[in-house]
């Protein structure tokens, strides 16, 4: 009986300590975080922090890291920094600048964006365009597979940022078939663009073997018009010939793309 009483006293002491710990400010804060971000805690917490930091993240980074100037089609462009996707740390800094240049140069050309990207970076409203994206259910976005898109009125320009490399690789319930990316290019040229219309693609090297081959040994309609290699952790890049990227790997030594190719193709039908 004495032993039982001691156990009950010990358990009571544990319960008391537990209640005090549970009611502590740190514990209440921890519980709130768990309730807020469960079930995918880490990813939701990361998204929450990024969303709250967006208003001041970009100006702060610009004070610490100066956006690099790079050459594209003989024109000096400046990297675009944006908190979404932390573009100062990857190839998107170049892609956004290239997209702005191409869209500005296109003037009043009817334009199609394949894969909804610009909207996330605060520059989408600058360029009127139609957007098709199979997986993004947003207002004004056509949720359709690019292979099923046959518009009544064809477009003068189609562009896509780091999207075509996913075709045949990351599609839901689809077999691994990187060559489907090239089939998608053929479909756009034949069914989506006007005669003489242009398709502009940016593609990270090392993700889709079929597109890599189109960059290193171009034979089909895709022609590489620019290529870049990443130099360091400060996200500095250098213009190179596409053939210099044959040993470049995706995700190594730096996160995401370590080589980037810009393709152009022209519709002839």
């Amino acid at each position: 009986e004495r032993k039982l009483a001691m156990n009950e006293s010990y358990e009571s002491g544990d319960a008391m300590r537990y209640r005090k710990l549970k009611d502590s400010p740190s514990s209440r804060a921890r519980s709130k975080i768990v309730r807020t971000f469960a079930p995918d805690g880490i990813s939701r917490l990361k998204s929450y922090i990024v969303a709250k930091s967006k208003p001041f993240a970009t100006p702060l980074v610009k004070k610490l890291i100066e956006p690099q100037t790079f050459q594209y089609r003989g024109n000096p462009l400046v990297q675009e920094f944006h908190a979404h996707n932390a573009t100062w740390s990857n190839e998107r800094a170049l892609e956004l600048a290239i997209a702005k240049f191409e869209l500005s140069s296109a003037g009043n050309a009817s334009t199609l964006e394949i894969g909804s990207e610009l909207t996330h970076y605060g520059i989408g409203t600058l360029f009127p365009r139609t957007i098709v994206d199979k997986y993004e259910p947003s207002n004004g976005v056509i949720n359709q597979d690019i292979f099923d898109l046959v518009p009544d009125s064809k477009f003068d320009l189609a562009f896509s940022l780091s999207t075509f490399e996913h075709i045949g690789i990351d599609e839901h319930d689809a077999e691994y078939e990187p060559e489907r990316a090239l089939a998608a290019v053929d479909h756009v040229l034949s069914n989506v663009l006007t005669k003489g219309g242009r398709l502009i693609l940016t593609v990270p090297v090392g993700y889709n073997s079929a597109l890599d081959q189109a960059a290193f040994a171009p034979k089909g309609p895709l022609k590489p018009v620019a290529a870049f290699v990443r130099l360091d952790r400060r996200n500095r890049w250098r213009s190179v010939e596409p053939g210099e990227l044959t040993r470049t790997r995706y995700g190594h030594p730096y996160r995401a793309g370590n080589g980037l190719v810009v393709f152009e193709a022209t519709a002839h039908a």
Side-chain angles (χ1 to χ4, degrees):
E1 291 178 357
R2 182 179 179 184
K3 186 175 180 179
L4 179 61
M6 289 176 64
N7 286 341
E8 289 177 348
S9 176
Y10 179 78
E11 290 171 1
S12 298
D14 272 355
M16 185 178 297
R17 284 191 294 272
Y18 174 75
R19 282 197 299 273
K20 288 182 178 179
L21 179 62
K22 185 179 179 182
D23 292 337
S24 68
S26 61
S27 180
R28 289 199 300 271
R30 186 165 55 250
S31 298
K32 183 177 181 180
I33 290 174
V34 170
R35 289 195 304 271
T36 302
F37 300 106
D40 20 291
I42 297 299
S43 62
R44 291 187 66 189
L45 177 58
K46 180 181 177 182
S47 299
Y48 177 83
I49 293 172
V50 168
K52 292 297 184 182
S53 64
K54 277 185 179 181
F56 55 85
T58 304
L60 177 61
V61 169
K62 283 185 176 180
K63 290 184 178 180
L64 300 175
I65 306 174
E66 183 178 355
Q68 177 193 3
T69 298
F70 64 98
Q71 292 290 321
Y72 175 71
R73 294 185 185 262
N75 296 275
L77 304 184
V78 180
Q79 291 180 342
E80 292 282 335
F81 283 4
H82 197 280
H84 181 75
N85 200 32
T87 65
W88 50 79
S89 66
N90 53 61
E91 70 273 20
R92 189 52 53 89
L94 277 67
E95 292 177 308
L96 293 175
I98 291 169
K100 288 178 67 175
F101 172 83
E102 291 289 356
L103 292 172
S104 298
S105 302
N108 296 323
S110 57
T111 302
L112 173 70
E113 180 181 8
I114 304 171
S116 181
E117 292 294 343
L118 291 190
T119 301
H120 301 295
Y121 299 95
I123 58 179
T125 56
L126 300 177
F127 306 104
R129 68 204 187 285
T130 300
I131 307 171
V132 60
D133 190 311
K134 182 178 179 180
Y135 299 111
E136 184 164 324
S138 301
N139 291 334
V141 176
I142 301 172
N143 296 132
Q144 194 172 23
D145 193 302
I146 189 60
F147 287 100
D148 298 328
L149 181 67
V150 183
D152 295 331
S153 298
K154 293 186 176 182
F155 297 92
D156 301 317
L157 173 68
F159 77 95
S160 182
L161 306 183
S162 289
T163 296
F164 270 65
E165 70 272 14
H166 298 286
I167 298 175
I169 294 181
D170 299 318
E171 296 180 274
H172 300 171
D173 302 321
E175 295 183 4
Y176 182 81
E177 193 178 357
E179 295 79 10
R180 273 178 60 82
L182 300 180
V185 169
D186 291 336
H187 175 82
V188 172
L189 296 178
S190 300
N191 301 290
V192 177
L193 291 175
T194 58
K195 184 177 181 179
R198 296 186 305 135
L199 171 64
I200 303 290
L201 307 179
T202 66
V203 175
V205 175
Y207 199 97
N208 184 301
S209 58
L211 290 173
D212 285 350
Q213 189 62 26
F216 305 149
K219 295 180 181 180
L222 281 180
K223 306 299 181 186
V225 296
F228 306 91
V229 65
R230 184 168 177 176
L231 301 178
D232 54 31
R233 294 186 180 276
R234 295 180 65 82
N235 204 34
R236 291 184 293 182
W237 296 71
R238 177 171 59 87
S239 296
V240 295
E241 292 298 320
E244 297 180 54
L245 299 174
T246 54
R247 296 186 178 182
T248 302
R249 296 167 58 187
Y250 185 87
H252 181 82
Y254 310 111
R255 186 178 73 86
N258 287 263
L260 182 71
V261 175
V262 184
F263 289 104
E264 181 176 56
T266 303
H268 297 292

